[in-house]
Amino acid sequence: MTSYLRPRTLEEATVARAAYPDWMVLAGGTDLMVNANHKPTPPGILDLWRLGELGFIRVEGDAIVIGAGTTWHEVERHAAIREKLRPLALAAREIGALQIQARGTLGGNVGTSSPVGDSLPVLLALDAQIEVASVRGRRTIPYHAYCTGYRKTQLASDELIVSATIPLPSAATRTTWRKVGTRRAQSISKVMGAAAITLDGGTVVSARIALGAVADRPMRITAVEDAVRGLPLAQAADAARTALHTAITPIDDVRSTADYRRGVAENLVARFFTS
Ligand SMILES: Cc1cc2nc3c(=O)[nH]c(=O)nc-3n(C[C@H](O)[C@H](O)[C@H](O)COP(=O)(O)OP(=O)(O)OC[C@H]3O[C@@H](n4cnc5c(N)ncnc54)[C@H](O)[C@@H]3O)c2cc1C
């Protein structure tokens, strides 16, 4: 029989996580339940759904801190996120459809760490920090170092994800997020990505470009970032497209061919600079 624990505090949760590292950590369950019938039954379930200390959105100085248990619906509806972290609000609106957005959480997207996790390029492009907790204490992991391979992360077996801290882009920085899927809703991304482009007049001072679904993990595309630095916006789109062509080696799979993914990714990155 599977055991079940629903902690009332984060401290209780970390104690349970340390005591039962082989239990399933459950948030909204929208990733976990899809495969539940095809995987061995876990010895226990540690249910974090609606754990108060993980469900919050706070503006703190020049950043917004989002608790791991915050749902995509809550992210999408939050006024400060809509106004100041537009790429995250755009990603939240396209994760699954309303039912998935009502249950799926930021912590779940980060926890699964799929290369097609729609929020993950946003965390990369906006230089987010992930806070994690265990009975040993708390630590902060820069998101660019968090994901170490295909669905592999730095999270230790006794740790839980607490929050993501996302710095607010400066007034000179344009940010966006785009997704290409087979349809408008309930669509797993063929390619998606986020951009933070800092301009001086019409010239690109710097750019942070991150894509998902083009490698085993979400990735920053530094070749594009280098290629556009110092260029007038009008020339940046073509430079970005050219640089991207050799910067990624997408895979063939049931959803798309590598050639299609590369072409779509080139268009997507070029559009970061044109619209
Ligand atoms: C029909 C459908 C459509 C979907 N469409 C999209 C889509 O368009 N884009 C997209 O990105 N995803 C999509 N998903 C996947 C999923 O909804 C998201 O990844 C969601 O954010 C997962 O959140 P959750 O709370 O449901 O995670 P869960 O399923 O509860 O957990 C996912 C993983 O994260 C771990 N985890 C969760 N919280 C924590 C924590 N605090 N600390 C440590 N580990 C934790 C769990 O142990 C598990 O390994 C879809 C899923 C379905 C079923």
Side-chain angles (χ1 to χ4, degrees), residues 125 143 157 177-178 183:
Y143 187 72
S157 63
W177 180 86
R178 286 180 177 276
R183 52 185 180 262

Side-chain angles (χ1 to χ4, degrees), residues 24-34 48 54 68 72 94-97 100 103-112 116-119 155 159-162 179 186-189:
M24 172 195 274
V25 175
L26 180 83
T30 61
D31 270 325
L32 287 171
M33 290 305 130
V34 172
L48 303 183
L54 298 184
W72 292 118
E94 292 202 34
I95 290 182
I100 295 299
R103 286 288 300 196
T105 63
L106 174 103
N109 214 233
V110 171
T112 297
V116 294
D118 279 332
S119 73
L155 197 70
E159 286 180 320
L160 294 170
I161 303 159
V162 177
K179 167 171 175 169
Q186 299 284 27
S187 177
I188 300 208
S189 292

